[in-house]
Amino acid sequence: MIKGFIFDLDGVITDTAELHYAAWKELADDMGWEFDRELNEKLRGISRMDSIKVIMDYNNISLDEKSIVDFATKKNDFYVKSLNSITQEDYLPGARELLTHLRSEGFSVALGSASKNAEKVLKQLNATHYFDVIGDGNSVTKSKPAPDIFLYASEKLGLPPENCIVFEDAEKGIDAANAGKFHSVGIGPAERVGHADVRFDTMKEATLFEVKSYFKELF
Ligand code: B16
Ligand code: MG
């Protein structure tokens, strides 16, 4: 039986990818590193420290651990400042409606995001009240594709993975959900999330009715 839903944040509830892009671009421009939207796409759903390593590899740069942390912190400072621009208008279409519907039907709801800034983003959206549990980049040490963040969220909800559906927009996020033996819903193109149990192009199509129709024997 499905009793709980675990949501990724960026790309599922709201689109912070553009703000991450602007912050990495500001750092890269300062440093004279190459960074474009194609490379930004490779950072979808992965942690800040994994992200800077992808950018360094792309630029053939090697740095000591302290410098890597310093540069990642600098990017984060740019990013955190930009979060003040997020408002209640910035839910991805369909996301707020789904959260409201789940609460009204009595499902348990958790966040399972790689971001260490998730609480701030939820606050800006006025979305904190939708979640029984907030799992974010501060909750676990092993990031996606490891299943740890989703296992953390389901454990805090008091539910085993087979009773939970994970919503994810990232390839590595679906890897993480599948590795944890959760049911998975992919949001985005097949080449990115085609390995989810069911896939929708956008959150707008991923209504509770559609999700129930797909997983019908589990409701
Ligand atoms: P932070 P999600 C992820 O969010 C982003 O998609 C990814 O681009 C970012 O690097 C990661 O959060 C860490 O974010 O620097 O704020 O800790 O999709 O897991 O909600
Ligand atoms: Mg995401």
Side-chain angles (χ1 to χ4, degrees):
M1 284 292 282
I2 297 300
K3 296 189 173 147
F5 284 75
I6 304 174
F7 289 92
D8 176 54
L9 181 60
D10 175 28
V12 172
I13 305 293
T14 187
D15 188 15
T16 45
E18 195 54 34
L19 300 178
H20 281 294
Y21 170 76
W24 283 122
K25 181 78 181 140
E26 194 163 352
L27 175 73
D29 287 351
D30 279 1
M31 300 304 298
W33 299 345
E34 283 206 32
F35 185 73
D36 57 21
R37 285 181 192 278
E38 204 181 321
L39 187 55
N40 190 56
E41 189 51 36
K42 299 212 163 71
L43 313 182
R44 185 181 283 271
I46 66 169
S47 72
R48 195 183 313 156
M49 292 308 287
D50 287 347
S51 300
I52 193 163
K53 284 170 188 162
V54 168
I55 297 170
M56 284 167 50
D57 279 355
Y58 183 81
N59 282 274
N60 278 318
I61 296 160
S62 74
L63 294 164
D64 58 87
E65 204 55 33
K66 185 186 174 300
S67 307
I68 298 174
V69 172
D70 287 350
F71 289 132
T73 302
K74 198 169 169 195
K75 176 266 172 179
N76 192 54
D77 291 342
F78 294 141
Y79 177 65
V80 169
K81 245 183 247 159
S82 74
L83 293 181
N84 290 321
S85 68
I86 297 178
T87 73
Q88 297 183 44
E89 306 303 309
D90 292 319
Y91 285 84
L92 280 168
R96 180 167 28 197
E97 292 76 3
L98 178 59
L99 289 168
T100 305
H101 203 172
L102 291 174
R103 299 301 342 201
S104 73
E105 292 218 355
F107 289 101
S108 298
V109 178
L111 190 80
S113 165
S115 176
K116 295 190 170 179
N117 299 296
E119 289 203 18
K120 165 87 175 158
V121 175
L122 292 182
K123 204 166 159 222
Q124 292 291 128
L125 290 168
N126 192 21
T128 313
H129 63 100
Y130 290 119
F131 296 91
D132 299 298
V133 166
I134 293 176
D136 64 15
N138 304 295
S139 310
V140 294
T141 46
K142 270 167 96 186
S143 47
K144 301 165 190 176
D148 298 34
I149 187 60
F150 298 134
L151 291 170
Y152 171 89
S154 66
E155 199 187 317
K156 290 270 173 192
L157 288 177
L159 297 172
E162 65 263 29
N163 290 163
C164 300
I165 295 178
V166 167
F167 273 62
E168 253 295 344
D169 70 306
E171 182 180 354
K172 290 201 164 60
I174 295 295
D175 290 342
N178 291 345
K181 307 233 179 317
F182 292 87
H183 304 284
S184 56
V185 172
I187 304 297
E191 53 276 24
R192 202 169 78 204
V193 291
H195 52 320
D197 294 334
V198 59
R199 185 194 70 79
F200 298 95
D201 287 330
T202 70
M203 280 296 282
K204 208 162 177 190
E205 284 93 57
T207 60
L208 185 53
F209 178 81
E210 288 296 330
V211 171
K212 277 186 172 175
S213 315
Y214 181 79
F215 292 104
K216 44 179 165 310
E217 71 286 4
L218 296 174
F219 280 91

